[in-house]
Amino acid sequence: QVQLVESGGGLVQPGGSLRLSCAASGTIFRVNRMGWYRQAPGRERELVAVFTRSGNTNYTDSVKGRFTISRDNAKITVDLQMNSLKPEDTATYYCNVEVRKLGDPTWMNYWGKGTLVTVSS
């Protein structure tokens, strides 16, 4: 099994910062894509930031210049530094990782349970 544990969500005032962390554990052999998605109430889940299979980073336009994604391959973690937060960033943020398990050639997609970020004064 593969588990993803997110942390770092909470309540922050507009203009503030938060750092989300996601740690993957289990019988992981290789990790490919790692990223963060979010889902606001009444809206579909959307990509926030991701490390692609080629190792590049992609950000949704609304967070460019404010959010930074980083990863630690040795620890199998992916973080999201969020600065200059806006009320419209309020959402549940989900970690997403593509992994291969030991002894299995199939790439599988895993999701964390989500961490709530609320930006409000």
Side-chain angles (χ1 to χ4, degrees):
Q1 288 293 338
V2 174
Q3 297 84 35
L4 301 182
V5 178
E6 299 131 328
S7 61
L11 173 65
V12 63
Q13 292 186 343
S17 298
L18 281 176
R19 187 176 183 88
L20 305 183
S21 295
C22 174
S25 62
T27 54
I28 297 171
F29 177 60
R30 294 234 175 147
V31 178
N32 207 344
R33 294 177 78 253
M34 301 182 79
W36 288 91
Y37 290 70
R38 67 185 179 187
Q39 187 168 18
R43 302 188 66 175
E44 293 188 355
R45 191 173 297 188
E46 65 170 352
L47 171 71
V48 178
V50 67
F51 282 97
T52 66
R53 292 188 177 96
S54 62
N56 296 322
T57 55
N58 284 339
Y59 294 89
T60 192
D61 285 346
S62 63
V63 308
K64 286 180 180 178
R66 299 189 298 122
F67 291 11
T68 303
I69 190 171
S70 60
R71 66 189 286 177
D72 185 322
N73 291 328
K75 296 180 180 179
I76 317 180
T77 60
V78 58
D79 292 354
L80 186 67
Q81 178 65 43
M82 306 185 294
N83 298 328
S84 303
L85 282 160
K86 304 175 181 180
E88 50 263 43
D89 295 317
T90 295
T92 297
Y93 284 70
Y94 297 90
C95 175
N96 175 258
V97 178
E98 184 179 49
V99 305
R100 275 181 59 189
K101 295 193 290 184
L102 286 170
D104 187 346
T106 306
W107 288 97
M108 298 291 292
N109 212 26
Y110 290 89
W111 292 91
K113 294 182 179 180
T115 183
L116 179 62
V117 172
T118 303
V119 185
S120 175
S121 55

